[in-house]
Amino acid sequence: MFRNDLKWSDVTPKAQFLNRRQIMAAGAATLMAPRAFAAGYSTSEKQNTFEEITNYNNFYEFGLDKTDPARSAGALTVDPWSVQIDGLVDRPGMYDLADVLKMGPIEERIYRLRCVEAWSMVIPWNGFQLSHLLNKVGVKSGARYVAFQTLQRPSEMPGQRQGFLDWPYREGLRLDEAMHPLTLMATGLYGEELPKQNGAPIRLVVPWKYGFKSIKSVVRISLVADQPDTTWKQTNHREYGFYANVNPTVSHPRWSQATERRIGGGLFNSRQDTIMFNGYGDQVASLYAGQDLSRDY
Ligand code: MTE
């Protein structure tokens, strides 16, 4: 079925084809999966260019400037890679990346990413729903949260040789947030293998939350009973909460969250109103029914 004389680029638009390694790892079934699901989850807004998405990054393990990750993430070894899945699960273990990639069909999802610093982008990710992985490993009753950790390897991550954050970078979601169909484990963008500065080889993407929840280069996923410690909340809990839902009505103590600057807006760098839950309210508002989001920020 994989004819040598046809290149993937001949039969599918670039944004839809997956990289070879992912195809081999995930098997042909992935490509046959209906794409109808994804349609409802993707935005039709103008996508940022590959150059914009890969040259304006926050990945503090590689430095504080937006251009540091593109400059120094190249040194990161992403093969071999494994993900430890542990805690309250039926099948804990050290999973090789190739096995992790088989846990769910890889789809294209075009999501807005809204950074807490009040800029945003539109990014065409390739990845699979975290819910598929959680169902494969079996979540035990009693698990209420999912904790994530980034790789700790100071020899390849110069930022980790400095103390501006408490390494390794840690994030967490409530179990219902983690199981939500919008929540993605991204393994590529624009049909290419995930660039290192964007969190290769596998990162979380939670589009209705501020970008800092979308932890990069994940090496550990733990199912836990209690709300886990997270890097930014621990660093400054007044400024960064556990929930971190995009919310134009709750200001960051040092700046408003009412508007955002769309990266690549040309000369005028277009500023636009920020939308509650980054525009994903129809899908996720019910998760927070009865919660006071100015308290649970
Ligand atoms: N993950 C790790 N491990 N380290 C980081 O510094 N930065 C976060 C998030 N994930 C970060 C991280 C922040 S603040 C944002 S806005 C997004 O990654 C940026 O993702 P992008 O560079 O792919 O746009």
PDB file of all heavy atoms in Angstrom, residues 53 56-61 113-117 119 121 123 125 150 165 167 169 197-199 203 211-217 232, ligand 1:
ATOM      1  N   ILE A  53       6.466  30.029  14.183  1.00  0.00           N
ATOM      2  CA  ILE A  53       6.202  29.079  15.274  1.00  0.00           C
ATOM      3  C   ILE A  53       7.510  28.516  15.844  1.00  0.00           C
ATOM      4  O   ILE A  53       7.570  28.131  17.009  1.00  0.00           O
ATOM      5  CB  ILE A  53       5.282  27.938  14.763  1.00  0.00           C
ATOM      6  CG1 ILE A  53       3.924  28.504  14.337  1.00  0.00           C
ATOM      7  CG2 ILE A  53       5.085  26.856  15.819  1.00  0.00           C
ATOM      8  CD1 ILE A  53       3.059  27.518  13.549  1.00  0.00           C
ATOM      9  N   TYR A  56      10.017  31.879  17.822  1.00  0.00           N
ATOM     10  CA  TYR A  56       9.526  32.753  18.897  1.00  0.00           C
ATOM     11  C   TYR A  56       8.967  31.811  19.954  1.00  0.00           C
ATOM     12  O   TYR A  56       7.803  31.436  19.925  1.00  0.00           O
ATOM     13  CB  TYR A  56       8.447  33.689  18.351  1.00  0.00           C
ATOM     14  CG  TYR A  56       8.055  34.805  19.290  1.00  0.00           C
ATOM     15  CD1 TYR A  56       8.739  36.019  19.275  1.00  0.00           C
ATOM     16  CD2 TYR A  56       6.995  34.655  20.193  1.00  0.00           C
ATOM     17  CE1 TYR A  56       8.384  37.051  20.135  1.00  0.00           C
ATOM     18  CE2 TYR A  56       6.629  35.674  21.052  1.00  0.00           C
ATOM     19  CZ  TYR A  56       7.327  36.873  21.009  1.00  0.00           C
ATOM     20  OH  TYR A  56       6.974  37.902  21.867  1.00  0.00           O
ATOM     21  N   ASN A  57       9.833  31.348  20.845  1.00  0.00           N
ATOM     22  CA  ASN A  57       9.451  30.261  21.762  1.00  0.00           C
ATOM     23  C   ASN A  57       9.752  30.592  23.199  1.00  0.00           C
ATOM     24  O   ASN A  57      10.678  31.334  23.504  1.00  0.00           O
ATOM     25  CB  ASN A  57      10.211  28.973  21.400  1.00  0.00           C
ATOM     26  CG  ASN A  57       9.941  28.522  19.981  1.00  0.00           C
ATOM     27  OD1 ASN A  57      10.743  28.750  19.082  1.00  0.00           O
ATOM     28  ND2 ASN A  57       8.803  27.897  19.773  1.00  0.00           N
ATOM     29  N   ASN A  58       8.976  29.985  24.091  1.00  0.00           N
ATOM     30  CA  ASN A  58       9.319  29.935  25.506  1.00  0.00           C
ATOM     31  C   ASN A  58       9.704  28.499  25.816  1.00  0.00           C
ATOM     32  O   ASN A  58       8.867  27.579  25.708  1.00  0.00           O
ATOM     33  CB  ASN A  58       8.114  30.307  26.371  1.00  0.00           C
ATOM     34  CG  ASN A  58       7.950  31.797  26.515  1.00  0.00           C
ATOM     35  OD1 ASN A  58       8.907  32.557  26.360  1.00  0.00           O
ATOM     36  ND2 ASN A  58       6.740  32.239  26.816  1.00  0.00           N
ATOM     37  N   PHE A  59      10.957  28.313  26.153  1.00  0.00           N
ATOM     38  CA  PHE A  59      11.444  26.983  26.561  1.00  0.00           C
ATOM     39  C   PHE A  59      12.660  27.305  27.423  1.00  0.00           C
ATOM     40  O   PHE A  59      13.790  27.331  26.955  1.00  0.00           O
ATOM     41  CB  PHE A  59      11.811  26.154  25.318  1.00  0.00           C
ATOM     42  CG  PHE A  59      11.878  24.651  25.552  1.00  0.00           C
ATOM     43  CD1 PHE A  59      11.918  23.785  24.455  1.00  0.00           C
ATOM     44  CD2 PHE A  59      11.915  24.103  26.824  1.00  0.00           C
ATOM     45  CE1 PHE A  59      11.976  22.407  24.632  1.00  0.00           C
ATOM     46  CE2 PHE A  59      11.969  22.723  27.008  1.00  0.00           C
ATOM     47  CZ  PHE A  59      11.998  21.881  25.907  1.00  0.00           C
ATOM     48  N   TYR A  60      12.347  27.614  28.697  1.00  0.00           N
ATOM     49  CA  TYR A  60      13.349  28.213  29.576  1.00  0.00           C
ATOM     50  C   TYR A  60      14.545  27.304  29.836  1.00  0.00           C
ATOM     51  O   TYR A  60      15.601  27.777  30.241  1.00  0.00           O
ATOM     52  CB  TYR A  60      12.690  28.672  30.879  1.00  0.00           C
ATOM     53  CG  TYR A  60      11.776  29.862  30.668  1.00  0.00           C
ATOM     54  CD1 TYR A  60      10.457  29.844  31.094  1.00  0.00           C
ATOM     55  CD2 TYR A  60      12.241  31.001  30.021  1.00  0.00           C
ATOM     56  CE1 TYR A  60       9.614  30.933  30.890  1.00  0.00           C
ATOM     57  CE2 TYR A  60      11.414  32.094  29.805  1.00  0.00           C
ATOM     58  CZ  TYR A  60      10.110  32.059  30.238  1.00  0.00           C
ATOM     59  OH  TYR A  60       9.275  33.131  30.028  1.00  0.00           O
ATOM     60  N   GLU A  61      14.367  26.015  29.576  1.00  0.00           N
ATOM     61  CA  GLU A  61      15.513  25.105  29.682  1.00  0.00           C
ATOM     62  C   GLU A  61      16.625  25.527  28.717  1.00  0.00           C
ATOM     63  O   GLU A  61      17.781  25.142  28.881  1.00  0.00           O
ATOM     64  CB  GLU A  61      15.080  23.669  29.358  1.00  0.00           C
ATOM     65  CG  GLU A  61      14.268  22.990  30.465  1.00  0.00           C
ATOM     66  CD  GLU A  61      12.775  23.282  30.421  1.00  0.00           C
ATOM     67  OE1 GLU A  61      12.375  24.295  29.809  1.00  0.00           O
ATOM     68  OE2 GLU A  61      12.004  22.500  31.007  1.00  0.00           O
ATOM     69  N   LEU A 113      -2.827  29.220  20.388  1.00  0.00           N
ATOM     70  CA  LEU A 113      -2.046  29.135  21.619  1.00  0.00           C
ATOM     71  C   LEU A 113      -1.948  30.552  22.182  1.00  0.00           C
ATOM     72  O   LEU A 113      -1.485  31.460  21.501  1.00  0.00           O
ATOM     73  CB  LEU A 113      -0.645  28.565  21.351  1.00  0.00           C
ATOM     74  CG  LEU A 113       0.237  28.405  22.593  1.00  0.00           C
ATOM     75  CD1 LEU A 113       0.956  27.064  22.586  1.00  0.00           C
ATOM     76  CD2 LEU A 113       1.259  29.529  22.719  1.00  0.00           C
ATOM     77  N   ARG A 114      -2.449  30.733  23.406  1.00  0.00           N
ATOM     78  CA  ARG A 114      -2.444  32.058  24.034  1.00  0.00           C
ATOM     79  C   ARG A 114      -1.477  32.013  25.216  1.00  0.00           C
ATOM     80  O   ARG A 114      -1.701  31.304  26.207  1.00  0.00           O
ATOM     81  CB  ARG A 114      -3.868  32.393  24.494  1.00  0.00           C
ATOM     82  CG  ARG A 114      -4.052  33.591  25.422  1.00  0.00           C
ATOM     83  CD  ARG A 114      -3.570  34.907  24.830  1.00  0.00           C
ATOM     84  NE  ARG A 114      -4.180  36.085  25.471  1.00  0.00           N
ATOM     85  CZ  ARG A 114      -3.754  36.616  26.625  1.00  0.00           C
ATOM     86  NH1 ARG A 114      -2.743  36.098  27.287  1.00  0.00           N
ATOM     87  NH2 ARG A 114      -4.383  37.684  27.109  1.00  0.00           N
ATOM     88  N   CYS A 115      -0.390  32.756  25.082  1.00  0.00           N
ATOM     89  CA  CYS A 115       0.614  32.773  26.154  1.00  0.00           C
ATOM     90  C   CYS A 115       0.163  33.741  27.243  1.00  0.00           C
ATOM     91  O   CYS A 115      -0.504  34.739  26.973  1.00  0.00           O
ATOM     92  CB  CYS A 115       1.970  33.194  25.592  1.00  0.00           C
ATOM     93  SG  CYS A 115       3.281  33.176  26.824  1.00  0.00           S
ATOM     94  N   VAL A 116       0.551  33.460  28.474  1.00  0.00           N
ATOM     95  CA  VAL A 116       0.204  34.331  29.602  1.00  0.00           C
ATOM     96  C   VAL A 116       0.824  35.724  29.425  1.00  0.00           C
ATOM     97  O   VAL A 116       0.346  36.704  30.000  1.00  0.00           O
ATOM     98  CB  VAL A 116       0.644  33.664  30.942  1.00  0.00           C
ATOM     99  CG1 VAL A 116       2.145  33.734  31.142  1.00  0.00           C
ATOM    100  CG2 VAL A 116      -0.104  34.242  32.125  1.00  0.00           C
ATOM    101  N   GLU A 117       1.851  35.813  28.573  1.00  0.00           N
ATOM    102  CA  GLU A 117       2.472  37.119  28.302  1.00  0.00           C
ATOM    103  C   GLU A 117       1.667  37.964  27.310  1.00  0.00           C
ATOM    104  O   GLU A 117       2.152  39.005  26.869  1.00  0.00           O
ATOM    105  CB  GLU A 117       3.887  36.919  27.737  1.00  0.00           C
ATOM    106  CG  GLU A 117       4.821  36.211  28.689  1.00  0.00           C
ATOM    107  CD  GLU A 117       6.060  35.635  27.995  1.00  0.00           C
ATOM    108  OE1 GLU A 117       5.976  35.242  26.822  1.00  0.00           O
ATOM    109  OE2 GLU A 117       7.117  35.593  28.644  1.00  0.00           O
ATOM    110  N   TRP A 119       0.586  37.281  24.157  1.00  0.00           N
ATOM    111  CA  TRP A 119       0.713  37.109  22.707  1.00  0.00           C
ATOM    112  C   TRP A 119       0.087  35.771  22.336  1.00  0.00           C
ATOM    113  O   TRP A 119      -0.147  34.925  23.209  1.00  0.00           O
ATOM    114  CB  TRP A 119       2.183  37.178  22.237  1.00  0.00           C
ATOM    115  CG  TRP A 119       3.155  36.288  22.948  1.00  0.00           C
ATOM    116  CD1 TRP A 119       3.952  36.624  24.012  1.00  0.00           C
ATOM    117  CD2 TRP A 119       3.457  34.905  22.652  1.00  0.00           C
ATOM    118  NE1 TRP A 119       4.711  35.544  24.403  1.00  0.00           N
ATOM    119  CE2 TRP A 119       4.436  34.481  23.590  1.00  0.00           C
ATOM    120  CE3 TRP A 119       3.006  33.986  21.707  1.00  0.00           C
ATOM    121  CZ2 TRP A 119       4.954  33.169  23.592  1.00  0.00           C
ATOM    122  CZ3 TRP A 119       3.517  32.689  21.712  1.00  0.00           C
ATOM    123  CH2 TRP A 119       4.487  32.299  22.657  1.00  0.00           C
ATOM    124  N   MET A 121      -0.634  32.704  18.911  1.00  0.00           N
ATOM    125  CA  MET A 121      -0.331  32.172  17.584  1.00  0.00           C
ATOM    126  C   MET A 121      -1.422  31.168  17.230  1.00  0.00           C
ATOM    127  O   MET A 121      -2.186  30.726  18.085  1.00  0.00           O
ATOM    128  CB  MET A 121       0.990  31.403  17.587  1.00  0.00           C
ATOM    129  CG  MET A 121       2.221  32.228  17.759  1.00  0.00           C
ATOM    130  SD  MET A 121       3.639  31.298  17.119  1.00  0.00           S
ATOM    131  CE  MET A 121       4.928  32.038  18.099  1.00  0.00           C
ATOM    132  N   ILE A 123      -1.467  27.399  15.542  1.00  0.00           N
ATOM    133  CA  ILE A 123      -0.458  26.376  15.267  1.00  0.00           C
ATOM    134  C   ILE A 123      -1.130  25.080  14.799  1.00  0.00           C
ATOM    135  O   ILE A 123      -2.006  24.547  15.481  1.00  0.00           O
ATOM    136  CB  ILE A 123       0.378  26.095  16.536  1.00  0.00           C
ATOM    137  CG1 ILE A 123       1.001  27.400  17.058  1.00  0.00           C
ATOM    138  CG2 ILE A 123       1.452  25.031  16.246  1.00  0.00           C
ATOM    139  CD1 ILE A 123       1.886  27.249  18.291  1.00  0.00           C
ATOM    140  N   TRP A 125      -0.937  21.550  14.828  1.00  0.00           N
ATOM    141  CA  TRP A 125      -0.235  20.450  15.488  1.00  0.00           C
ATOM    142  C   TRP A 125      -0.594  19.120  14.841  1.00  0.00           C
ATOM    143  O   TRP A 125      -1.679  18.972  14.282  1.00  0.00           O
ATOM    144  CB  TRP A 125      -0.650  20.344  16.968  1.00  0.00           C
ATOM    145  CG  TRP A 125      -0.431  21.548  17.807  1.00  0.00           C
ATOM    146  CD1 TRP A 125      -1.394  22.417  18.273  1.00  0.00           C
ATOM    147  CD2 TRP A 125       0.812  22.034  18.323  1.00  0.00           C
ATOM    148  NE1 TRP A 125      -0.812  23.403  19.040  1.00  0.00           N
ATOM    149  CE2 TRP A 125       0.538  23.195  19.084  1.00  0.00           C
ATOM    150  CE3 TRP A 125       2.138  21.602  18.216  1.00  0.00           C
ATOM    151  CZ2 TRP A 125       1.533  23.922  19.730  1.00  0.00           C
ATOM    152  CZ3 TRP A 125       3.122  22.329  18.863  1.00  0.00           C
ATOM    153  CH2 TRP A 125       2.822  23.471  19.603  1.00  0.00           C
ATOM    154  N   THR A 150       9.018  17.486  32.518  1.00  0.00           N
ATOM    155  CA  THR A 150       9.936  17.621  31.384  1.00  0.00           C
ATOM    156  C   THR A 150      11.254  16.936  31.722  1.00  0.00           C
ATOM    157  O   THR A 150      11.603  16.767  32.897  1.00  0.00           O
ATOM    158  CB  THR A 150      10.157  19.121  31.096  1.00  0.00           C
ATOM    159  OG1 THR A 150       8.944  19.683  30.617  1.00  0.00           O
ATOM    160  CG2 THR A 150      11.251  19.375  30.067  1.00  0.00           C
ATOM    161  N   LEU A 165      14.309  28.712  37.264  1.00  0.00           N
ATOM    162  CA  LEU A 165      13.118  27.931  37.640  1.00  0.00           C
ATOM    163  C   LEU A 165      13.593  26.715  38.429  1.00  0.00           C
ATOM    164  O   LEU A 165      14.754  26.336  38.362  1.00  0.00           O
ATOM    165  CB  LEU A 165      12.329  27.477  36.411  1.00  0.00           C
ATOM    166  CG  LEU A 165      11.494  28.508  35.650  1.00  0.00           C
ATOM    167  CD1 LEU A 165      10.810  27.851  34.456  1.00  0.00           C
ATOM    168  CD2 LEU A 165      10.444  29.157  36.549  1.00  0.00           C
ATOM    169  N   TRP A 167      13.882  23.186  38.446  1.00  0.00           N
ATOM    170  CA  TRP A 167      13.816  22.100  37.452  1.00  0.00           C
ATOM    171  C   TRP A 167      13.611  20.754  38.137  1.00  0.00           C
ATOM    172  O   TRP A 167      14.038  20.599  39.265  1.00  0.00           O
ATOM    173  CB  TRP A 167      15.115  22.062  36.626  1.00  0.00           C
ATOM    174  CG  TRP A 167      15.553  23.386  36.140  1.00  0.00           C
ATOM    175  CD1 TRP A 167      16.648  24.101  36.538  1.00  0.00           C
ATOM    176  CD2 TRP A 167      14.908  24.194  35.128  1.00  0.00           C
ATOM    177  NE1 TRP A 167      16.715  25.292  35.857  1.00  0.00           N
ATOM    178  CE2 TRP A 167      15.670  25.368  34.992  1.00  0.00           C
ATOM    179  CE3 TRP A 167      13.757  24.015  34.339  1.00  0.00           C
ATOM    180  CZ2 TRP A 167      15.306  26.378  34.085  1.00  0.00           C
ATOM    181  CZ3 TRP A 167      13.420  25.011  33.452  1.00  0.00           C
ATOM    182  CH2 TRP A 167      14.191  26.172  33.333  1.00  0.00           C
ATOM    183  N   TYR A 169      10.844  21.143  34.925  1.00  0.00           N
ATOM    184  CA  TYR A 169       9.569  21.823  34.694  1.00  0.00           C
ATOM    185  C   TYR A 169       8.441  20.831  34.946  1.00  0.00           C
ATOM    186  O   TYR A 169       8.479  19.696  34.480  1.00  0.00           O
ATOM    187  CB  TYR A 169       9.548  22.281  33.244  1.00  0.00           C
ATOM    188  CG  TYR A 169       8.501  23.305  32.847  1.00  0.00           C
ATOM    189  CD1 TYR A 169       8.844  24.648  32.717  1.00  0.00           C
ATOM    190  CD2 TYR A 169       7.199  22.931  32.534  1.00  0.00           C
ATOM    191  CE1 TYR A 169       7.910  25.589  32.302  1.00  0.00           C
ATOM    192  CE2 TYR A 169       6.256  23.864  32.121  1.00  0.00           C
ATOM    193  CZ  TYR A 169       6.613  25.199  32.008  1.00  0.00           C
ATOM    194  OH  TYR A 169       5.681  26.124  31.588  1.00  0.00           O
ATOM    195  N   GLN A 197      12.738  23.053  19.562  1.00  0.00           N
ATOM    196  CA  GLN A 197      12.363  24.252  20.316  1.00  0.00           C
ATOM    197  C   GLN A 197      10.881  24.266  20.682  1.00  0.00           C
ATOM    198  O   GLN A 197      10.465  25.011  21.561  1.00  0.00           O
ATOM    199  CB  GLN A 197      12.752  25.529  19.553  1.00  0.00           C
ATOM    200  CG  GLN A 197      12.148  25.689  18.176  1.00  0.00           C
ATOM    201  CD  GLN A 197      13.041  25.135  17.079  1.00  0.00           C
ATOM    202  OE1 GLN A 197      13.618  24.055  17.222  1.00  0.00           O
ATOM    203  NE2 GLN A 197      13.165  25.870  15.990  1.00  0.00           N
ATOM    204  N   ASN A 198      10.080  23.444  20.013  1.00  0.00           N
ATOM    205  CA  ASN A 198       8.654  23.363  20.339  1.00  0.00           C
ATOM    206  C   ASN A 198       8.315  22.193  21.263  1.00  0.00           C
ATOM    207  O   ASN A 198       7.140  21.935  21.527  1.00  0.00           O
ATOM    208  CB  ASN A 198       7.820  23.284  19.060  1.00  0.00           C
ATOM    209  CG  ASN A 198       7.902  24.565  18.250  1.00  0.00           C
ATOM    210  OD1 ASN A 198       8.789  24.703  17.411  1.00  0.00           O
ATOM    211  ND2 ASN A 198       7.049  25.528  18.516  1.00  0.00           N
ATOM    212  N   GLY A 199       9.348  21.480  21.735  1.00  0.00           N
ATOM    213  CA  GLY A 199       9.078  20.457  22.750  1.00  0.00           C
ATOM    214  C   GLY A 199       9.203  19.026  22.289  1.00  0.00           C
ATOM    215  O   GLY A 199       8.516  18.141  22.808  1.00  0.00           O
ATOM    216  N   ARG A 203       4.935  16.647  23.522  1.00  0.00           N
ATOM    217  CA  ARG A 203       4.554  17.693  24.483  1.00  0.00           C
ATOM    218  C   ARG A 203       3.048  17.730  24.608  1.00  0.00           C
ATOM    219  O   ARG A 203       2.322  17.240  23.760  1.00  0.00           O
ATOM    220  CB  ARG A 203       5.095  19.046  24.022  1.00  0.00           C
ATOM    221  CG  ARG A 203       4.595  19.454  22.670  1.00  0.00           C
ATOM    222  CD  ARG A 203       3.866  20.748  22.469  1.00  0.00           C
ATOM    223  NE  ARG A 203       3.777  21.807  23.392  1.00  0.00           N
ATOM    224  CZ  ARG A 203       4.170  23.066  23.137  1.00  0.00           C
ATOM    225  NH1 ARG A 203       4.774  23.368  22.008  1.00  0.00           N
ATOM    226  NH2 ARG A 203       3.939  24.018  23.995  1.00  0.00           N
ATOM    227  N   GLY A 211      -0.438  29.229  27.735  1.00  0.00           N
ATOM    228  CA  GLY A 211       0.559  28.359  27.114  1.00  0.00           C
ATOM    229  C   GLY A 211       1.467  27.635  28.088  1.00  0.00           C
ATOM    230  O   GLY A 211       1.960  26.547  27.776  1.00  0.00           O
ATOM    231  N   PHE A 212       1.686  28.195  29.273  1.00  0.00           N
ATOM    232  CA  PHE A 212       2.653  27.554  30.175  1.00  0.00           C
ATOM    233  C   PHE A 212       2.178  26.187  30.668  1.00  0.00           C
ATOM    234  O   PHE A 212       2.993  25.384  31.133  1.00  0.00           O
ATOM    235  CB  PHE A 212       3.053  28.481  31.341  1.00  0.00           C
ATOM    236  CG  PHE A 212       1.992  28.783  32.367  1.00  0.00           C
ATOM    237  CD1 PHE A 212       1.759  27.909  33.429  1.00  0.00           C
ATOM    238  CD2 PHE A 212       1.268  29.966  32.310  1.00  0.00           C
ATOM    239  CE1 PHE A 212       0.814  28.208  34.402  1.00  0.00           C
ATOM    240  CE2 PHE A 212       0.312  30.280  33.277  1.00  0.00           C
ATOM    241  CZ  PHE A 212       0.085  29.396  34.322  1.00  0.00           C
ATOM    242  N   LYS A 213       0.852  25.912  30.541  1.00  0.00           N
ATOM    243  CA  LYS A 213       0.384  24.573  30.924  1.00  0.00           C
ATOM    244  C   LYS A 213       0.845  23.514  29.918  1.00  0.00           C
ATOM    245  O   LYS A 213       0.876  22.325  30.235  1.00  0.00           O
ATOM    246  CB  LYS A 213      -1.145  24.536  30.992  1.00  0.00           C
ATOM    247  CG  LYS A 213      -1.788  25.436  32.026  1.00  0.00           C
ATOM    248  CD  LYS A 213      -1.455  25.061  33.444  1.00  0.00           C
ATOM    249  CE  LYS A 213      -2.210  23.847  33.961  1.00  0.00           C
ATOM    250  NZ  LYS A 213      -1.873  23.595  35.398  1.00  0.00           N
ATOM    251  N   SER A 214       1.154  23.954  28.693  1.00  0.00           N
ATOM    252  CA  SER A 214       1.463  23.012  27.610  1.00  0.00           C
ATOM    253  C   SER A 214       2.935  22.602  27.669  1.00  0.00           C
ATOM    254  O   SER A 214       3.776  23.054  26.885  1.00  0.00           O
ATOM    255  CB  SER A 214       1.092  23.634  26.264  1.00  0.00           C
ATOM    256  OG  SER A 214      -0.317  23.778  26.183  1.00  0.00           O
ATOM    257  N   ILE A 215       3.221  21.749  28.595  1.00  0.00           N
ATOM    258  CA  ILE A 215       4.592  21.371  28.954  1.00  0.00           C
ATOM    259  C   ILE A 215       5.274  20.595  27.816  1.00  0.00           C
ATOM    260  O   ILE A 215       4.666  19.728  27.185  1.00  0.00           O
ATOM    261  CB  ILE A 215       4.564  20.556  30.277  1.00  0.00           C
ATOM    262  CG1 ILE A 215       5.963  20.149  30.730  1.00  0.00           C
ATOM    263  CG2 ILE A 215       3.642  19.343  30.173  1.00  0.00           C
ATOM    264  CD1 ILE A 215       5.981  19.504  32.125  1.00  0.00           C
ATOM    265  N   LYS A 216       6.541  20.943  27.609  1.00  0.00           N
ATOM    266  CA  LYS A 216       7.310  20.390  26.477  1.00  0.00           C
ATOM    267  C   LYS A 216       8.168  19.192  26.891  1.00  0.00           C
ATOM    268  O   LYS A 216       8.476  19.022  28.069  1.00  0.00           O
ATOM    269  CB  LYS A 216       8.230  21.489  25.929  1.00  0.00           C
ATOM    270  CG  LYS A 216       7.456  22.662  25.338  1.00  0.00           C
ATOM    271  CD  LYS A 216       8.378  23.770  24.883  1.00  0.00           C
ATOM    272  CE  LYS A 216       7.596  24.778  24.047  1.00  0.00           C
ATOM    273  NZ  LYS A 216       8.461  25.863  23.558  1.00  0.00           N
ATOM    274  N   SER A 217       8.580  18.427  25.907  1.00  0.00           N
ATOM    275  CA  SER A 217       9.566  17.353  26.067  1.00  0.00           C
ATOM    276  C   SER A 217       9.271  16.521  27.315  1.00  0.00           C
ATOM    277  O   SER A 217      10.078  16.441  28.250  1.00  0.00           O
ATOM    278  CB  SER A 217      10.983  17.946  26.114  1.00  0.00           C
ATOM    279  OG  SER A 217      11.224  18.716  24.946  1.00  0.00           O
ATOM    280  N   TRP A 232       5.162  26.892  37.763  1.00  0.00           N
ATOM    281  CA  TRP A 232       4.869  28.331  37.804  1.00  0.00           C
ATOM    282  C   TRP A 232       4.104  28.719  39.053  1.00  0.00           C
ATOM    283  O   TRP A 232       4.339  29.784  39.624  1.00  0.00           O
ATOM    284  CB  TRP A 232       4.113  28.758  36.540  1.00  0.00           C
ATOM    285  CG  TRP A 232       5.052  28.805  35.374  1.00  0.00           C
ATOM    286  CD1 TRP A 232       5.167  27.880  34.387  1.00  0.00           C
ATOM    287  CD2 TRP A 232       6.053  29.798  35.130  1.00  0.00           C
ATOM    288  NE1 TRP A 232       6.179  28.243  33.532  1.00  0.00           N
ATOM    289  CE2 TRP A 232       6.729  29.411  33.954  1.00  0.00           C
ATOM    290  CE3 TRP A 232       6.439  30.978  35.782  1.00  0.00           C
ATOM    291  CZ2 TRP A 232       7.779  30.160  33.413  1.00  0.00           C
ATOM    292  CZ3 TRP A 232       7.476  31.731  35.241  1.00  0.00           C
ATOM    293  CH2 TRP A 232       8.132  31.321  34.078  1.00  0.00           C
TER     294      TRP A 232
HETATM  295  N1  MTE B   1       7.662  23.584  28.733  1.00  0.00           N
HETATM  296  C1  MTE B   1       8.878  23.548  29.284  1.00  0.00           C
HETATM  297  N2  MTE B   1       9.410  22.355  29.609  1.00  0.00           N
HETATM  298  N3  MTE B   1       9.608  24.662  29.510  1.00  0.00           N
HETATM  299  C2  MTE B   1       9.115  25.902  29.227  1.00  0.00           C
HETATM  300  O1  MTE B   1       9.801  26.906  29.469  1.00  0.00           O
HETATM  301  N4  MTE B   1       7.210  27.206  28.351  1.00  0.00           N
HETATM  302  C3  MTE B   1       5.730  27.233  28.291  1.00  0.00           C
HETATM  303  C4  MTE B   1       5.197  26.065  27.473  1.00  0.00           C
HETATM  304  N5  MTE B   1       5.875  24.821  27.809  1.00  0.00           N
HETATM  305  C5  MTE B   1       7.813  25.995  28.649  1.00  0.00           C
HETATM  306  C6  MTE B   1       7.115  24.785  28.396  1.00  0.00           C
HETATM  307  C7  MTE B   1       5.204  28.483  27.787  1.00  0.00           C
HETATM  308  S1  MTE B   1       5.306  29.830  28.815  1.00  0.00           S
HETATM  309  C8  MTE B   1       4.603  28.582  26.555  1.00  0.00           C
HETATM  310  S2  MTE B   1       3.820  30.032  26.066  1.00  0.00           S
HETATM  311  C9  MTE B   1       4.628  27.463  25.607  1.00  0.00           C
HETATM  312  O2  MTE B   1       5.369  26.349  26.083  1.00  0.00           O
HETATM  313  C10 MTE B   1       5.245  27.915  24.300  1.00  0.00           C
HETATM  314  O3  MTE B   1       5.165  26.912  23.320  1.00  0.00           O
HETATM  315  P1  MTE B   1       5.784  27.183  21.877  1.00  0.00           P
HETATM  316  O4  MTE B   1       7.189  27.670  22.046  1.00  0.00           O
HETATM  317  O5  MTE B   1       5.709  25.886  21.143  1.00  0.00           O
HETATM  318  O6  MTE B   1       4.917  28.234  21.242  1.00  0.00           O
END
